[in-house]
Amino acid sequence: MTNPPAIGESLHRLLHAYRRAMREGHAAAGIELPVTHIRALKGVAHSRSCSAQTIAGALRLDKGQISRLIKDLRTDGLIEQRPDPDDSRSRRLSLTAEGTAMVERITVVEAKAGERMAAGLDDAQLRDFVRLADVMAANLEDQE
């Protein structure tokens, strides 16, 4: 069995290489948003009834950080807030047309980075990688 430090080093190298590829891809595509803003936009895009609490839970950010992030995305014209028809105390977040276009650009950058990362691997290897990475993440999250 490979020793745990070697696993950690491989993962560390992969994470940094992926982050670098994403930064370079975002820059080349003219996407100047911080990573948290990108992750929040993707969360809004993939949630049927997204709220600030939904994003806070997914990103593990506190209320103040989420408030600033939502304000930034609204100011940039990427999201809008509307009253929640099911809960008058809550507001739903949704993408604007500009936000939808931004998420599409982000998706293209991620797909290119993913293709580069997966070059030379077959479908079975990719499925194994995803399965193993999910198990490892769950192992670490269960101990938090």
Side-chain angles (χ1 to χ4, degrees):
M1 179 174 142
T2 302
N3 66 19
I7 293 169
E9 282 302 314
S10 291
L11 180 58
H12 182 79
R13 192 167 146 237
L14 174 61
L15 287 172
H16 282 280
Y18 183 73
R19 284 183 179 151
R20 185 175 46 256
M22 292 302 298
R23 275 193 312 270
E24 291 168 359
H26 290 148
I31 299 169
E32 298 178 4
L33 296 170
V35 172
T36 53
H37 290 51
I38 290 170
R39 290 185 63 214
L41 276 178
K42 289 171 46 181
V44 172
H46 296 105
S47 177
R48 292 188 63 211
S49 61
C50 190
S51 68
Q53 283 183 306
T54 306
I55 300 300
L59 300 183
R60 297 183 179 191
L61 298 175
D62 65 41
K63 190 175 181 177
Q65 292 169 311
I66 288 297
S67 293
R68 286 187 296 277
L69 187 149
I70 289 171
K71 181 181 178 221
D72 290 347
L73 293 174
R74 287 182 66 210
T75 299
D76 291 344
L78 300 172
I79 65 168
E80 58 189 7
Q81 288 181 304
R82 293 193 175 135
D84 186 331
D86 301 324
D87 181 357
S88 61
R89 299 167 295 156
S90 185
R91 301 192 46 87
R92 284 195 184 168
L93 305 173
S94 61
L95 296 177
T96 62
E98 192 174 335
T100 299
M102 179 63 75
V103 169
E104 289 170 0
R105 290 171 54 206
I106 291 165
T107 301
V108 168
V109 169
E110 289 179 351
K112 286 179 183 176
E115 288 170 9
R116 284 180 54 204
M117 184 170 51
L121 300 174
D122 63 35
D123 288 344
Q125 290 171 314
L126 293 171
R127 280 191 304 275
D128 286 344
F129 170 78
V130 170
R131 182 182 55 80
L132 293 170
D134 287 346
V135 168
M136 289 177 172
N139 287 345
L140 293 172
E141 289 168 350
D142 287 345
Q143 296 175 14
E144 290 180 351

